[in-house]
Amino acid sequence: MRLSSILVLVAVAGVQAADDPWRIAQQNARHSQQAIQFGRRYVNGWLAHADPVTGLLPRRVDNSAHRFWNAHDCAADNYPFLTLYALMTGDYHLERIARHIFEQEQKLTIRVDSLPDEFAFDTQAFKTDRPHMPSLIFGAAEYAKDGLIPITEWIGPSPWSQRMTGLIRDIWKHAAVDSPLGKVPTTNVEVDGDLLQTMSRLYWLTGDEQYKEWTFKIADLYLFHKKLLSFDTIKLRDHGCEIIGGLAEAYVIAAYKDSERREKYRPELRAVLDFILRHGVNEDGMMYVSINTRTGEPVDKQISDGWGYVYDAFLTVAAVDDEPRYHDAVAHALCNCVKYEHLNTPGLDRSVDELADSVEGALNLLNRLPVERTFEWIDREMAVLFSKQRPDGIMEGWYGDGNSTRTALMYALYKTQGLTLVPWRTDLEVGASRDADGVVRVFIKSGYPWAGRLRFDRARHREYLNMPIDYARINQFPEWFTVAGDAKYEIRFDGESARIVSGRELWAFPLTLEANKPALITIRSLDDAAASRPAAELRTRRYTGRDKDDAVAWQADVRARLAAAMKVTDLLEPHWPLAPKLLSNERKEGYWLREVEFNSTPTRRIKAVVTVPTALPPGEKCPAVVCIHGHGGDRMSVYDATGPYKGFAAVLAASGYMTISTDVGQHEVYEAGRTLMGERLCDLVRCVDFLVSLPEVDPQRIGCAGLSLGGEMAMWLGALDTRIFGTVSCGFLTCMDQMEKNHCMCWKFDGLRELVDFADIYSLIAPRPLQCQNGQAEPPTQFTVALAREAMMDIKRIYTHYGVPGYAGLVVHPGGHEVDLDALTAFFRVHLLNAVSR
């Protein structure tokens, strides 16, 4: 069952379902307290079993031969989450203990260069007489990927990230395995997956080209030489699936830094992902443990606890390529994972560690594709996990206990929307809810008097790690509600007047609590242009529906309100004749180029360029596209192949479409009582009327496309004229805040901002197909990809409610303010040219 055939209650990432927000915040506070108390017991329990001489943690807590330290277990799966518990809770003494263990690890366990080896507690020496390099490389890679990456994802550059750089460089220093691409450290698929993930993060963190080169070398090896689909099996769980996520991370680097390589990687990586979707998942989208690549049959039909880790790769590729079917596949699994209770499902013999892995993977995906009932499943699964902890804090007594605490910390951050406290004592209850308008409500209660600081989260992927996008990846802590240092926020305590503070203040906001007296705090963002106005006055008709019925009613209401604000209600359904007149007719290669004139309003006529295919058989109807120019252009600009439009109208005309273009760049209002944007829109609506009047045009296969101002007008035309079936909006998707500066203000008219933002206008196009295009080379003051992605998340919500989330997408291309011609033509080829008339 595909996503389009099920009803999913999906919201903006982290937004709670409609309910009393304070009740939700208080409930979340109880859950986060459980997680913090769980973590405290874990820390105390395992420290009680630390080696009394060195302070290092053992592999197990029993008195067996496992009383030793190693990198791939102790350092990778246990130590980092003791450290992260200390860092997240601001516990000074625990931080000192964590630092001491870190220092002891480097003092006692380093064997070759910076690479650690197994250390026995009974002899206080290495377990073996000689180092075994493959084991050292495996241990160092696991330590880096599972141990040091999570710490770095949370705090950015630090001694722990420096340790990671040393490990990776020394792994490559000892690269001694022959490959078609020269010497590499290993050809173990798990270790190479570890290396790909670690080196990708280090490249973004440091900007060091060496990490990119090493990443591409390993990715090239597995995509072109040692191909995954040539293996006997593909593993979809831990100890094998790492390579899939690693290749996706390499693909992100290629997409942003090496477009030629990206084009080479795309078919190879997609072949692997498509094979997994065809053979590696059940009807619910849940992944098997492994697949036979020869037969396509599952080798192990048990459900993989690492399903979320593998789906990270799908979401990453979907984000880079705007590939709807990968997005849909992830959503399908998220909707169905609720059927699988990993410790209580017959036939699933699972450890608590595996439950933790499954929940961790789901939380990371839900941060990007929120599904209400799956969040409820998370609560149930976490209740089971918490119940498995012994009174002494131990879960199962092996290093996997640390992974359960990792998941508990992720759960706590979800329940607080990323807010942490210093110190975060176990008697504190703190929870948050966020509504569809971005307002965050925080509930805090302390069992004893408390004084400390609230720490609101920031966009760590960008500020700490320098990543171009927050792509889905293992071992990150999802970002829920983040504040920007230079931005302004309104903070209000219950019963007090609001205060305006900066994001930097919210990174360490002082607070004092009385015992058992809750603090109720409301936070909302204030943009520069509207900081002096009550936030409630803006975007009052934002889409906040929960199902298709809500979507239909909202669209009808907002279309009527916008038409009234644009002062065009009477013009959108014209009852006067077009009275067209042919002004010229010129034969081109594959089409006739004609200039015509017709009535736009009863008192005003407009000129338009129209193309008609020369090879259209008698009686056959063709699709048509309204082609729209930007500022400084005219109706012929879209046919010019030498400029940023790439001649997209001429390409469509030569490919069998009828096209029409008129001038919309005026900055004066022609008729009294109208608005500029309203008149521009009505001229385009009359172009559609003209197309519909022609016997050669299929009225059910009409689209529109434009760049810049043309992208804006394509948005308006697709939103308010439902005869438009496919819309391509290039170089415009953004938010209204961004348009308040460094832009022509012709986009703005009275009442607009009070009603909607651009994402809401685009949402009026649903469920009809929509493609937006934004270039990576856009200047930061213009139509940036980051803002476009945020807006597209809003737009996707209504498409999901209509059951067609894949019909709305963002194409990110490497260029600047220009048309991606291939993406535009491919969109219309699917939705208009080759489509059956509706």
Side-chain angles (χ1 to χ4, degrees):
M1 180 169 59
R2 289 182 55 79
L3 181 62
S4 57
S5 63
I6 55 179
L7 179 63
V8 186
L9 297 179
V10 177
V12 177
V15 173
Q16 305 287 341
D19 202 341
D20 174 15
W22 289 115
R23 187 193 67 79
I24 293 173
Q26 186 172 3
Q27 177 180 294
N28 287 344
R30 290 194 294 269
H31 288 153
S32 75
Q33 184 185 39
Q34 282 183 289
I36 294 302
Q37 290 173 341
F38 175 92
R40 170 60 70 172
R41 289 191 294 268
Y42 150 80
V43 167
N44 292 341
W46 272 88
L47 286 178
H49 292 275
D51 177 42
V53 177
T54 65
L56 297 175
L57 300 178
R59 290 185 77 246
R60 302 187 65 92
V61 299
D62 56 27
N63 293 317
S64 69
H66 293 280
R67 296 286 300 176
F68 66 90
W69 179 98
N70 66 1
H72 64 271
D73 297 327
C74 304
D77 292 323
N78 212 350
Y79 165 74
F81 305 112
L82 180 152
T83 301
L84 278 163
Y85 183 88
L87 294 170
M88 286 186 187
T89 60
D91 189 308
Y92 173 80
H93 298 289
L94 279 182
E95 286 188 32
R96 294 303 304 157
I97 292 171
R99 289 270 186 167
H100 175 71
I101 296 174
F102 183 56
E103 292 163 1
Q104 289 290 85
E105 173 261 307
Q106 294 174 82
K107 176 182 177 181
L108 300 172
T109 73
I110 287 177
R111 189 77 182 260
V112 177
D113 293 318
S114 67
L115 306 180
D117 204 351
E118 295 183 342
F119 184 86
F121 296 158
D122 57 351
T123 63
Q124 293 291 295
F126 293 119
K127 283 192 69 180
T128 58
D129 293 336
R130 296 180 180 178
H132 181 243
M133 284 307 301
S135 297
L136 266 61
I137 289 172
F138 172 59
E142 283 280 290
Y143 182 17
K145 191 265 288 185
D146 284 330
L148 297 171
I149 280 181
I151 297 174
T152 303
E153 285 272 352
W154 182 250
I155 64 172
S158 71
W160 289 280
S161 65
Q162 293 170 14
R163 180 79 173 107
M164 181 162 51
T165 61
L167 292 175
I168 298 303
R169 288 191 169 276
D170 287 336
I171 285 173
W172 278 93
K173 179 180 178 181
H174 294 279
V177 178
D178 291 322
S179 81
L181 301 175
K183 299 289 186 182
V184 293
T186 179
T187 53
N188 179 299
V189 68
E190 176 184 4
V191 181
D192 280 331
D194 291 345
L195 291 175
L196 279 175
Q197 294 180 33
T198 306
M199 295 184 304
S200 296
R201 315 285 173 98
L202 284 175
Y203 171 68
W204 295 119
L205 179 72
T206 66
D208 189 331
E209 293 291 311
Q210 180 65 77
Y211 294 116
K212 181 176 73 172
E213 293 173 15
W214 285 334
T215 298
F216 286 159
K217 188 171 186 178
I218 298 298
D220 287 355
L221 182 63
Y222 282 90
L223 290 174
F224 305 124
H225 303 281
K226 187 180 169 67
K227 292 189 175 185
L228 288 181
L229 294 182
S230 68
F231 285 32
D232 292 335
T233 61
I234 291 181
K235 293 184 179 180
L236 302 178
R237 65 161 301 178
D238 198 12
H239 307 303
C241 74
E242 296 84 359
I243 192 68
I244 301 168
L247 290 172
E249 295 206 46
Y251 188 59
V252 175
I253 299 178
Y256 284 88
K257 299 297 181 180
D258 191 336
S259 58
E260 182 178 347
R261 189 180 298 269
R262 172 196 181 179
E263 295 305 313
K264 293 178 181 178
Y265 280 2
R266 181 187 287 120
E268 301 299 330
L269 181 54
R270 287 191 176 199
V272 174
L273 300 184
D274 292 342
F275 183 85
I276 293 171
L277 288 184
R278 286 196 305 271
H279 303 290
V281 302
N282 66 11
E283 67 278 4
D284 293 324
M286 301 304 288
M287 291 185 180
Y288 304 120
V289 167
S290 56
I291 328 164
N292 185 310
T293 56
R294 305 285 187 267
T295 66
E297 295 296 318
V299 176
D300 186 340
K301 296 190 72 171
Q302 190 177 35
I303 301 303
S304 169
D305 55 301
W307 62 277
Y309 301 155
V310 180
Y311 274 128
D312 279 344
F314 285 81
L315 267 195
T316 295
V317 175
V320 171
D321 287 348
D322 190 39
E323 179 52 64
R325 59 198 177 91
Y326 294 154
H327 188 278
D328 290 356
V330 178
H332 178 65
L334 283 174
C335 290
N336 289 298
C337 68
V338 298
K339 303 175 184 178
Y340 300 83
E341 297 180 354
H342 282 79
L343 291 183
N344 297 319
T345 300
L348 291 181
D349 181 20
R350 292 292 169 87
S351 69
V352 179
D353 170 70
E354 291 173 302
L355 181 153
D357 286 352
S358 179
V359 170
E360 178 204 4
L363 272 173
N364 205 26
L365 300 173
L366 288 167
N367 176 259
R368 294 160 170 87
L369 289 176
V371 180
E372 182 181 353
R373 65 181 181 181
T374 310
F375 280 117
E376 295 168 356
W377 171 82
I378 292 285
D379 289 340
R380 296 195 298 273
E381 291 287 272
M382 289 303 297
V384 174
L385 187 150
F386 292 152
S387 73
K388 298 298 180 180
Q389 189 176 45
R390 298 178 345 206
D392 64 356
I394 303 300
M395 297 283 285
E396 295 175 323
W398 59 292
Y399 53 87
D401 283 5
N403 292 330
S404 297
T405 299
R406 168 209 62 207
T407 304
L409 291 172
M410 289 182 65
Y411 182 67
L413 292 173
Y414 150 56
K415 291 296 182 177
T416 68
Q417 291 293 293
L419 173 67
T420 58
L421 306 176
V422 179
W424 197 346
R425 298 186 322 218
T426 56
D427 64 306
L428 287 167
E429 298 177 37
V430 54
S433 68
R434 180 156 58 104
D435 65 22
D437 290 323
V439 177
V440 176
R441 292 172 176 84
V442 181
F443 173 95
I444 308 178
K445 188 173 76 170
S446 176
Y448 303 95
W450 180 87
R453 294 184 181 273
L454 312 184
R455 297 187 298 193
F456 288 87
D457 201 7
R458 63 185 79 191
R460 288 172 277 109
H461 77 279
R462 181 174 62 248
E463 294 189 24
Y464 288 166
L465 304 176
N466 307 308
M467 290 179 172
I469 57 171
D470 186 19
Y471 63 87
R473 56 200 184 275
I474 192 175
N475 287 330
Q476 71 170 127
F477 288 90
E479 296 168 14
W480 300 97
F481 173 71
T482 62
V483 298
D486 294 334
K488 298 296 183 183
Y489 298 84
E490 177 190 88
I491 184 167
R492 184 190 301 270
F493 290 82
D494 189 37
E496 298 181 9
S497 299
R499 296 164 52 188
I500 306 300
V501 299
S502 70
R504 285 188 174 81
E505 291 176 86
L506 291 178
W507 290 341
F509 193 83
L511 180 66
T512 300
L513 298 174
E514 298 178 25
N516 297 312
K517 183 178 180 180
L520 305 180
I521 308 169
T522 302
I523 306 287
R524 72 172 82 240
S525 174
L526 299 175
D527 62 90
D528 291 340
S532 62
R533 306 172 61 183
E537 291 183 10
L538 298 179
R539 203 180 179 186
T540 57
R541 301 306 299 166
R542 177 178 185 161
Y543 179 66
T544 58
R546 301 180 66 183
D547 55 29
K548 182 178 178 180
D549 290 341
D550 288 349
V552 172
W554 175 84
Q555 287 179 325
D557 173 67
V558 173
R559 282 197 189 101
R561 290 174 184 267
L562 287 173
M566 298 176 86
K567 300 180 180 180
V568 294
T569 301
D570 61 318
L571 297 181
L572 290 182
E573 295 184 6
H575 50 274
W576 53 90
L578 285 163
K581 179 181 179 180
L582 179 65
L583 303 179
S584 66
N585 189 22
E586 180 182 357
R587 180 145 190 165
K588 298 286 186 179
E589 186 172 347
Y591 60 92
W592 292 99
L593 180 70
R594 297 168 178 168
E595 187 168 39
V596 299
E597 181 183 87
F598 49 79
N599 290 328
S600 179
T601 72
T603 62
R604 186 167 58 89
R605 289 176 69 79
I606 61 173
K607 293 180 179 180
V609 174
V610 178
T611 66
V612 181
T614 55
L616 187 66
E620 185 171 321
K621 294 181 180 293
C622 66
V625 179
V626 181
C627 302
I628 315 169
H629 67 83
H631 277 105
D634 59 29
R635 58 187 180 273
M636 287 304 300
S637 299
V638 291
Y639 297 90
D640 181 3
T642 64
Y645 301 94
K646 311 290 181 65
F648 77 87
V651 172
L652 292 174
S655 302
Y657 301 80
M658 185 170 285
T659 69
I660 188 169
S661 176
T662 192
D663 296 330
V664 293
Q666 78 276 11
H667 281 79
E668 69 274 11
V669 178
Y670 295 131
E671 297 181 350
R674 302 295 182 189
T675 64
L676 178 63
M677 291 302 293
E679 287 190 331
R680 289 173 173 174
L681 171 63
C682 284
D683 288 351
L684 295 172
V685 170
R686 288 304 264 166
C687 286
V688 179
D689 292 338
F690 180 83
L691 291 173
V692 171
S693 74
L694 300 176
E696 301 95 337
V697 171
D698 183 345
Q700 295 185 324
R701 290 191 291 156
I702 298 177
C704 66
L707 170 67
S708 193
L709 168 64
E712 178 184 12
M713 296 315 301
M715 170 195 71
W716 278 113
L717 183 60
L720 294 188
D721 191 334
T722 57
R723 295 172 298 178
I724 296 293
F725 184 66
T727 300
V728 177
S729 175
C730 307
F732 186 75
L733 182 59
T734 186
C735 64
M736 290 182 180
D737 289 352
Q738 177 79 341
M739 295 289 285
E740 293 281 358
K741 297 179 179 180
N742 304 307
H743 291 273
C744 175
M745 296 303 292
C746 63
W747 63 272
K748 194 173 182 179
F749 52 87
D750 289 345
L752 175 64
R753 294 214 62 179
E754 286 78 4
L755 289 172
V756 293
D757 207 318
F758 292 129
D760 305 303
I761 303 171
Y762 281 106
S763 294
L764 294 173
I765 298 171
R768 293 163 288 141
L770 167 67
Q771 179 189 93
C772 294
Q773 298 183 5
N774 287 65
Q776 295 172 1
E778 286 270 10
T781 60
Q782 301 300 306
F783 302 93
T784 62
V785 170
L787 289 176
R789 291 189 191 281
E790 291 180 12
M792 183 54 67
M793 288 177 63
D794 268 1
I795 298 165
K796 284 277 191 179
R797 174 182 171 84
I798 196 168
Y799 277 86
T800 300
H801 291 168
Y802 268 111
V804 287
Y807 270 23
L810 172 64
V811 172
V812 176
H813 58 81
H817 202 57
E818 60 192 76
V819 169
D820 184 328
L821 185 60
D822 289 342
L824 180 149
T825 54
F827 174 89
F828 284 128
R829 188 163 53 248
V830 170
H831 294 295
L832 295 185
L833 187 64
N834 297 331
V836 178
S837 182
R838 291 169 290 135

